[in-house]
Amino acid sequence: MTMRKRTKNGSSGLLSRLSLPIFALIVIIITFFASAASYILIRVQNDHTLNMADQSMKFVYRNVWYQFDTMNNVAAFILSNPSIEGLLENRYQQSYEAVGDYFALQTNLENLSLLSLLNDFGSRSAAKKSYVVSVALEPESGLFDIATDHFDPTTGIYKYDDLQNQEWYRSLKRGARQTEWWGQRTGQSNSTMIYSARTKTSIKDGRSIGTVIIGADTGSIQSVFENAQLEKGYHLLLDESNQVIFSERYSFLEPVGELPYVRAMEGNKGSLVSRIDGEQHRVMYETFANGWKLLTVVPESHFSQYTFAISAIGAATAIAALLIAGFILRRIVVRVTVPITRLVSAMHRPEVLEFKEPLPEQNSGIYEVDELGQKFSSMLITLHGLIEKSFVEEMERRQLQLELLHSQINPHFLYNTLDLINCRAIMAGDREASQIVRSLANVFRHSLNRGEAWISLGDEVRMVEAYLHIQQMMMDNLQVEIRVPEDILSALIVHLTLQPLVENAIIHGFAERTSECRIAITARLKDKAIILRIEDNGRGCDPERMNRMLRDHTGGEVEGRNGGMKTGYGTLNVHRRIQLHCGEAYGLRYADIEEGTCVEVVVPYRIRTEVLANV
């Protein structure tokens, strides 16, 4: 009964601990992806709607400016045409002599007014009057006397008298700008027109001859607005005084300068949000070169018209996905947790805990769960064997270490023995043997170093000096040069760094050399690092191959440059110990020299307090 209760309680706990976190994770994931998808769709839809409004505005802007540019070109043609220039500047004795030139100029103006660049409606066989092309002459022109006395906004040649009271004419004469633009109603039909005017001056002497006036009916740009209609919203074409030139909402020349969004416009182009008729609207605007502005006004609700539908679909999809995922999760978790709970119950049996028998086999119908039970049973038996084997090996290892400690030579016994030999050599008068014994004692004293991994650079150098002193007694031709600055002798380096490298140079570098053998040891401080340099004039080695061996940590033997010389184990041992204590940035590196071998040791500049802090 106890076992069954524990199994039941365990199954219930495992089920809740698995199902609740996994279901919460699924809820978070589905909610995140549903929200992200809805957000992306809403943004894409809103951006698409905004882009359509922007494209509509750009379409209107390009075509309206094309209309303005065409009017500028007609005026420029009249101002620069040599034939028209001659007709305007000719002098006549009698007025009737100018009649021929008058009608020639009138014909040119009529031909220019027949251009139809934007109005492609109606019959293509009949020319449409798109423009009013007129010239208001001043007394300086020879045709002034026979020009029409009163100005009429139709194609023709007039005297300038009626224009002097017009604001645009006075501004043009003041030279405020080269071209004046305005809109007005004209004629008996009260047609809505837009005009541009430019002063005609003599090419010869620069005197004012008259004013060239180009007019166009607003119907010429109406088709542009009709082809770029907005599903919701409207366009406005405003002059510099913020009067309406054309709009689907406002009438011609209606002043709109007091509208909040018109007052809020800053700069030549931009976008702003303003409340119009109780609803937020986005207003995009851009300024023409003549100072007029084109505005596109679209309600904000038009951009977010699909937001609710997309959000509702996303929420419904997320709820459906959660219900399906919860149902499937419940079935999976139950089928997995129940066999595992049974497996845990079997593991509480004393026979299993004592490794006397494997876990009983299960047949849950799920391959992974059944395989888990079988492999876990095998693992328990294998683990029991490994524990016993590991225990035996550890006992053997400790026994070997104990025997090794017993077999080690006592350093004090070694030093006392060397001192005894030294005294006997002195008493026998053998000075050379005494020096060898003292040098050997120094080598042992510094090499043992009381078991510490770090040693001062001065002690390391003294140990190498003692070692080289012994070598010099064995090799009469060995020359040694050691140059180490006194200010870095107190720095600490890894113990037994120089001696293996010096020994390597003597054993391998001078293996085939019997005279003029030289070893140079130098040290310098660079960028908070000590660089020890060991050079010899021996047989040499391949620096690139040696450096590659150090990088790869192969530990194998590497042939020298001339073949036959083997090295690598001692060098790699020094390199590994330096990197173990100092880091991967330090260690050994071989340099290429003309003769022999050069190896550099790079270690950090440290003092005793730094090493103790690291320890």
Side-chain angles (χ1 to χ4, degrees):
M1 290 297 294
T2 303
M3 185 63 64
R4 290 182 180 179
K5 183 177 181 180
R6 180 182 298 175
T7 302
K8 183 177 180 180
N9 293 338
S11 176
S12 178
L14 181 61
L15 178 63
S16 61
R17 292 184 181 183
L18 281 179
S19 58
L20 291 179
I22 296 177
F23 185 73
L25 179 62
I26 293 176
V27 170
I28 293 173
I29 294 175
I30 293 178
T31 303
F32 172 77
F33 279 104
S35 301
S38 299
Y39 175 77
I40 293 172
L41 289 175
I42 292 171
R43 284 298 303 270
V44 169
Q45 177 62 36
N46 292 349
D47 291 345
H48 174 71
T49 306
L50 181 61
N51 184 59
M52 293 297 293
D54 185 62
Q55 292 296 326
S56 175
M57 178 178 175
K58 290 181 179 178
F59 174 81
V60 174
Y61 182 89
R62 287 195 302 268
N63 287 277
V64 171
W65 176 243
Y66 180 73
Q67 174 74 17
F68 293 162
D69 193 48
T70 303
M71 295 172 67
N72 281 330
N73 291 337
V74 172
F77 177 80
I78 296 174
L79 295 174
S80 61
N81 186 269
S83 299
I84 297 178
E85 176 79 14
L87 295 174
L88 293 175
E89 290 199 3
N90 284 340
R91 296 294 182 179
Y92 310 97
Q93 295 294 331
Q94 301 295 331
S95 297
Y96 64 85
E97 296 176 355
V99 173
D101 291 344
Y102 177 87
F103 283 107
L105 178 59
Q106 179 71 20
T107 302
N108 285 329
L109 298 181
E110 290 286 348
N111 291 336
L112 289 173
S113 69
L114 291 175
L115 292 174
S116 179
L117 300 177
L118 293 179
N119 293 337
D120 54 357
F121 54 89
S123 174
R124 296 183 178 271
S125 61
K128 303 293 181 183
K129 273 195 174 183
S130 295
Y131 303 106
V132 171
V133 183
S134 57
V135 179
L137 298 178
E138 297 182 17
E140 296 296 330
S141 173
L143 301 178
F144 179 79
D145 293 335
I146 64 174
T148 304
D149 292 333
H150 298 288
F151 181 81
D152 186 43
T154 59
T155 300
I157 305 170
Y158 308 94
K159 292 181 181 179
Y160 79 107
D161 299 330
D162 292 348
L163 304 179
Q164 296 185 55
N165 295 327
Q166 299 291 331
E167 178 60 32
W168 63 265
Y169 184 81
R170 291 196 298 268
S171 176
L172 191 64
K173 287 304 178 182
R174 288 196 302 267
R177 61 181 66 186
Q178 186 180 11
T179 305
E180 289 290 336
W181 294 80
W182 73 97
Q184 72 179 56
R185 294 182 180 273
T186 59
Q188 297 180 353
S189 61
N190 207 21
S191 301
T192 57
M193 301 285 292
I194 55 177
Y195 291 96
S196 69
R198 295 179 63 178
T199 300
K200 169 61 179 164
T201 58
S202 174
I203 299 177
K204 297 178 181 180
D205 52 22
R207 70 183 186 279
S208 178
I209 299 176
T211 303
V212 177
I213 303 172
I214 309 297
D217 193 292
T218 55
S220 61
I221 62 174
Q222 181 178 356
S223 60
V224 175
F225 286 86
E226 291 176 351
N227 290 331
Q229 286 185 350
L230 298 170
E231 183 179 350
K232 291 185 179 180
Y234 53 91
H235 298 285
L236 290 96
L237 177 61
L238 307 180
D239 62 11
E240 290 184 282
S241 301
N242 290 327
Q243 297 183 104
V244 176
I245 300 300
F246 187 88
S247 175
E248 302 95 331
R249 176 166 179 164
Y250 299 97
S251 59
F252 183 69
L253 294 183
E254 182 178 349
V256 294
E258 295 303 317
L259 293 176
Y261 60 88
V262 176
R263 293 201 310 266
M265 290 189 300
E266 296 180 357
N268 292 329
K269 63 184 298 185
S271 176
L272 57 92
V273 177
S274 178
R275 180 170 291 277
I276 303 173
D277 298 333
E279 184 181 358
Q280 292 291 102
H281 284 68
R282 181 173 296 275
V283 181
M284 297 174 288
Y285 61 92
E286 192 163 355
T287 306
F288 295 97
N290 62 356
W292 292 13
K293 291 183 175 64
L294 176 64
L295 286 73
T296 299
V297 183
V298 182
E300 285 284 297
S301 60
H302 182 57
F303 298 129
S304 57
Q305 58 182 331
Y306 298 107
T307 300
F308 177 77
I310 294 175
S311 301
I313 294 174
T317 304
I319 293 174
L322 287 175
L323 294 176
I324 296 173
F327 176 76
I328 297 176
L329 174 64
R330 177 73 181 181
R331 290 181 59 86
I332 293 176
V333 170
V334 168
R335 294 193 65 186
V336 171
T337 56
V338 171
I340 293 177
T341 303
R342 293 174 180 172
L343 179 63
V344 172
S345 299
M347 289 174 57
H348 285 85
R349 292 169 56 190
E351 296 82 1
V352 176
L353 294 177
E354 295 174 2
F355 300 101
K356 295 181 178 179
E357 64 179 43
L359 291 175
E361 296 184 0
Q362 294 194 93
N363 187 14
S364 65
I366 301 177
Y367 169 77
E368 289 79 2
V369 176
D370 294 341
E371 188 71 11
L372 175 64
Q374 295 176 5
K375 296 301 180 182
F376 192 77
S377 176
S378 301
M379 184 187 68
L380 288 177
I381 297 175
T382 304
L383 181 63
H384 178 67
L386 291 175
I387 291 175
E388 292 182 349
K389 181 179 179 182
S390 176
F391 178 78
V392 172
E393 291 179 349
E394 181 65 21
M395 293 300 295
E396 292 179 355
R397 187 181 300 109
R398 291 182 179 274
Q399 182 66 28
L400 291 175
Q401 290 177 349
L402 182 61
E403 293 176 358
L404 180 61
L405 289 175
H406 285 304
S407 64
Q408 287 181 339
I409 299 176
N410 191 318
H412 294 288
F413 172 75
L414 177 63
Y415 296 151
N416 293 336
T417 303
L418 292 175
D419 287 340
L420 178 61
I421 297 173
N422 182 35
C423 293
R424 293 293 178 90
I426 293 175
M427 294 175 62
D430 192 346
R431 296 282 181 182
E432 183 175 359
S434 175
Q435 292 178 359
I436 293 174
V437 171
R438 285 200 302 272
S439 297
L440 181 59
N442 288 331
V443 170
F444 282 136
R445 182 177 295 107
H446 291 296
S447 62
L448 293 175
N449 194 33
R450 295 188 297 274
E452 295 184 6
W454 294 84
I455 189 173
S456 68
L457 179 59
D459 290 342
E460 183 79 3
V461 170
R462 282 187 284 274
M463 182 185 71
V464 171
E465 287 178 339
Y467 174 79
L468 289 174
H469 180 69
I470 297 174
Q471 293 291 345
Q472 284 180 315
M473 292 181 181
M474 293 186 293
M475 300 172 59
D476 295 335
N477 60 342
L478 179 61
Q479 302 176 16
V480 177
E481 180 183 3
I482 300 177
R483 300 192 308 274
V484 180
E486 293 185 2
D487 56 348
I488 63 174
L489 287 174
S490 61
L492 298 178
I493 66 172
V494 178
H495 184 41
L496 283 177
T497 296
L498 294 177
Q499 190 273 336
L501 301 178
V502 172
E503 182 180 2
N504 196 52
I506 294 175
I507 294 176
H508 301 293
F510 300 146
E512 299 178 0
R513 192 180 185 96
T514 59
S515 63
E516 297 182 359
C517 298
R518 296 192 306 275
I519 292 180
I521 301 175
T522 59
R524 72 180 189 274
L525 183 63
K526 180 181 179 182
D527 297 334
K528 296 183 179 181
I530 297 177
I531 301 178
L532 303 172
R533 188 180 179 96
I534 300 94
E535 297 184 41
D536 65 72
N537 61 343
R539 62 189 298 180
C541 66
D542 185 352
E544 182 178 354
R545 183 178 300 179
M546 293 297 294
N547 288 327
R548 186 168 59 251
M549 182 268 293
L550 294 175
R551 286 194 304 269
D552 297 340
H553 284 185
T554 57
E557 296 183 343
V558 181
E559 286 194 5
R561 179 177 296 157
N562 299 322
M565 187 269 290
K566 306 286 186 177
T567 184
Y569 285 110
T571 301
L572 183 58
N573 182 275
V574 174
H575 180 67
R576 283 180 172 176
R577 285 192 294 109
I578 293 176
Q579 288 194 334
L580 178 63
H581 290 285
C582 304
E584 296 293 331
Y586 302 95
L588 305 185
R589 63 189 183 196
Y590 281 80
D592 194 5
I593 57 176
E594 295 183 359
E595 182 183 13
T597 303
C598 175
V599 59
E600 291 183 344
V601 181
V602 182
V603 294
Y605 178 72
R606 293 182 178 179
I607 57 178
R608 174 67 62 180
T609 56
E610 294 178 354
V611 174
L612 292 176
N614 291 333
V615 173

